[in-house]
Amino acid sequence: MKRSDIKNLYKIFLIILFLLSINIFPQGQSGKISGVVIDASTKEPLIGANVLIEGTNFGAATNVDGKFVILNISPGTYNISASMIGYSKTTLKSVEVYIDRTTQLSFGLNDEALQMEQVVVVATKPPVIKDQTATAQHIDDRQIKVAPIEGLRGALELGAGFQKDQKGNFLVRGSGSNELNFQINGVEQMSSNTSAPGTFGSEKADNSWKYDVNPLGVKQLQLITGGFSAEYGNAQAGVVKVVLKDGAPKFTGEVRVEYRPSGQYHYGDYIYSKNNWEWQKWGTIDKWIEKKDQILRELTFETRYEWLKTSNPVLYNQLADEEIKWAYDLWIKNHEPSDNNVLGVYDYTQYSYQRYLFGFGGPLGSDPNLLKFYISGEYKRNPTRLPTPEKVQTGQNYILNVTYQPGNGHKFKVMGSYQSYIGGIWSGSSDIRWSGLAFTPPGVSTKYLVTIDPVREEQTIAQTFNWVYAISPESFAELTLTHQQEKYELPYKYLAGYGLEVDRADSSKDPSGTVLRDGSWWEKDVFRAPFSFSTNYYQDSRTENFGLKFDYTNQITFNQLLKAGIQVQYWDMFNNGVNSSYQANSFIARNGFADSYYAYPVSLGFYLQDRFEFEGIIANVGLRAEAYNYQTQIPEDPFNYLYPGTEGSGVVGNPNTVPSETRYTLLPRLGVSFPIGESTAFRIQYGHFASMPIFSEALSKRTASGWSGLADGNLKAKKTITYEFGLQQQLSDIHRLDLVLYFNDRFDQTGTITLASATGSRTSGAPIFDENNNPLYFINSFANNRFGSTFGFETIFETFAFKEWSYRLSYSISQTTSGNFGSNIKLPENARDLSTRNVAREDLAGWDRTHNFRALVQYFIDSDGGFELFGIKPFSNSVFSLTYTAQSGLPFTYITEFDLIDVFNNRRYPLESMVDFSFNKDILIDNIKIVLGIRIMNLFENKWLTPFATRDDINLWIDKGITMDMPGSDPTRFSYLVAPYRAYLNIPRQIFFTFGVGF
């Protein structure tokens, strides 16, 4: 059967399966409750006692030892009761269940003859998490809603183990980007195309936009920065698990609106300030009159009116003055911000931030446990900090969750999502370098040609069906089918410029031109001139992903839980992209770079996980097997691969290809916790983790007058071995300390390599030659030639039980290194007179941050709390929240005449710190809740120095303390002219206002 036939049958099956559920996502991860029921007087176990989770159909009966286990419980807070004939009922209130954790309970029932009334006890949190075998953090919906963070992505930065890079992607304990397994209700959020078009692997900005799920729809969040169980794959660094709300037994909902006023959100002067160098030089008519003769020559005025110069000098001078005034007026029109500026120059400070959120859910029908739903959505308009073609970045996410429990052990869940993002390739990050006007410096500024980059449009639609079948009280099976459809587009757009006659204004008599002709007034050494005919990039990328996951869980004994599963993923991928060319066809592009591929990757994962829970030891032992094949064609001879385009080297090349190989890997994992009493627990963790290389590294084929890039579809999996030793210690009735020592050893990481080929790109530089004196040009490729490691210590001090104050302080000190081995160039056997050396070098990684500190402090005031003023308690039902961030600056290289020539990353930028604050208050009117809030980001206006892009700027800062916003002794310095606003990378103080209504 053909691949296309299999794909079509799978699609038909999904269509039938999802006929009643369009656009859905899968079942969330669950927790477990176990415990014992005893006679309160005799301490003897009670056999056959009933334990029930109130408001649900979940429960269990105790065994001969009085013990019980309840599996597959959705995370949340419950009331749990125990009862038995002849005994009074006992209820534990506010029992918390966490993702992948065991909540242990103990019930003591009193003889009914001695106590007739029901006993109600508020559950207490354990001082240490006995079954924690790796570093993890749980954040519930209450904390997420009131923390001073913008969205769910902000919650990731609350722990010292997570850092965000300059492009807005997340790193975990020194890892690279794209090494995080981010799951929403058990389904991984994947971006199949993380690269900019035609750039051969260069990441675009804000690839983590999918992580911003509406917090109103989130029940619980788990952040794992240590090792994780064998159930989870395709990640080297960490796992984020988001569990969504299912819907309550009664109908509830909430709507919120968040607003930030318009304004300038970067440091320094307004980018289009009239005080800037170009406006001082060209911004007034007298400056043009001073250069009258030069300007008239550039406008070809003297040539056009040479006959008039001698015959009528008065009229000639009058026309010359009019021509100067016309050119000046058009220059102003081309450079002054306005909504109809043909070059895209606009007032970027005029737009306000707006965010709309909603969440509704409840039962469908009279039985609150039979059929229920929850739907949440978010629409956000976020103006870019700097001028960009999109002006305002728009994000949307909508998720529907429907749960059906007909009884007889069956539970069905269909979930759907729609996510979209409109932004830029090089904008979207909070870092000023990736907020717009990219690559300036060292490149010239595009602030007077904002439209040169296209607007990026991404969309993901997902459907999932989940079926859980309780085979017995001790076992259940779970089947999940998923389908995700991704679309990523960068459409070409026509640009006005002086390169085309229809747009070029040559003189005051030109009837149609809108852009002033070429001339010194464009200052092309500093600013990009409007000569392009179209936007600078084009991309059309479409991916369909089909997934099947089956899990089986069996509580073999009270102390042993066995879990096994298999997961299959299939992708249908198409990508076509062009960089710096207005011709969309990949193989006839005469300038710039083009990238095109079709591929049908497939991956398979199988795991076996055994969990042992005893009084003095809890162990997770697992083995995961993974395999993948990119299902693409590999050149039989990469040194002479057929190039079908134009203007190549002239060599036809070898058209033969071979199928890509299947890669296999085995990943053992072990985590052990040693509880000592109720207040101490040691843990050790060891594990092998792997991830597939990103698709562009395995599939890209880039052309530029020959092959300029050929990816490697036979890349091996990237691997990390982690070691962790941890200690939990109760310090008081409410405080806990967690100490962690860890080491992550990374190998087979993906790096770049150069091939010398007869069909390589003629634009790659001077060729080398083979034995027959034929030129060999260079092709970029990828190889598993990088390695690295992180050694670190992390400490967490937190409250585990609180009524008013809640805080979590985390600090890490670590060092991350990165290096490569082998030769950086591969030559064919017939290459002439060129030798290569195999080298290995490891240095401090450019993304290393030695010190990281994060603090979240929250103060909760209940309905009777706070001071009273004239009979009113203004701060009742309120929460004050504050976060503090401090981290080492990034390393950089500074070489003096006294240093060795191979010194690398020997200096650091200054410490980066910031305080964010929020205040939220609920006003209760009958059954209606009104939410008022204020969120202040960067409360004290801390400034983070932007890493410098040029050696001259580094030297000026180190030697004289001069940053890019300072003229120093040379006010015509390039960096100062083009980008003084980039001196500090972070966002100045922002104030957000929130209003909401709930019921």
Side-chain angles (χ1 to χ4, degrees), residues 748-753 783-787 819-824:
D748 283 343
Q749 305 298 299
T750 305
T752 58
I753 195 169
N784 295 104
N785 60 359
R786 293 198 64 82
F787 63 94
N820 63 283
F821 63 91
S823 174
N824 62 356

Side-chain angles (χ1 to χ4, degrees), residues 710-724:
L710 285 176
D712 186 355
N714 286 332
L715 288 172
K716 295 184 291 185
K718 300 178 290 183
K719 297 178 183 177
T720 298
I721 301 177
T722 69
Y723 308 83
E724 180 179 299

Side-chain angles (χ1 to χ4, degrees), residues 901-956:
I901 194 169
D902 62 346
V903 165
F904 187 75
N905 282 342
N906 59 330
R907 299 286 185 98
R908 277 194 187 275
Y909 289 103
L911 181 77
E912 299 170 351
S913 64
M914 186 163 58
V915 174
D916 300 328
F917 169 82
S918 67
F919 169 74
N920 292 270
K921 178 176 174 58
D922 295 343
I923 301 173
L924 304 178
I925 305 174
D926 294 330
N927 294 323
I928 302 298
K929 178 180 69 175
I930 298 175
V931 180
L932 302 176
I934 184 171
R935 176 164 58 93
I936 306 174
M937 311 298 285
N938 196 4
L939 180 64
F940 300 115
E941 289 272 28
N942 297 71
K943 296 180 178 179
W944 298 2
L945 188 69
T946 304
F948 298 102
T950 69
R951 182 61 52 192
D952 290 342
D953 287 330
I954 290 177
N955 293 339
L956 277 174

Side-chain angles (χ1 to χ4, degrees), residues 445-465:
S445 174
T446 58
K447 72 177 186 178
Y448 293 116
L449 190 59
V450 177
T451 53
I452 188 64
D453 291 329
V455 176
R456 159 185 164 196
E457 300 177 12
E458 291 196 59
Q459 174 184 286
T460 299
I461 299 174
Q463 305 95 33
T464 300
F465 171 82

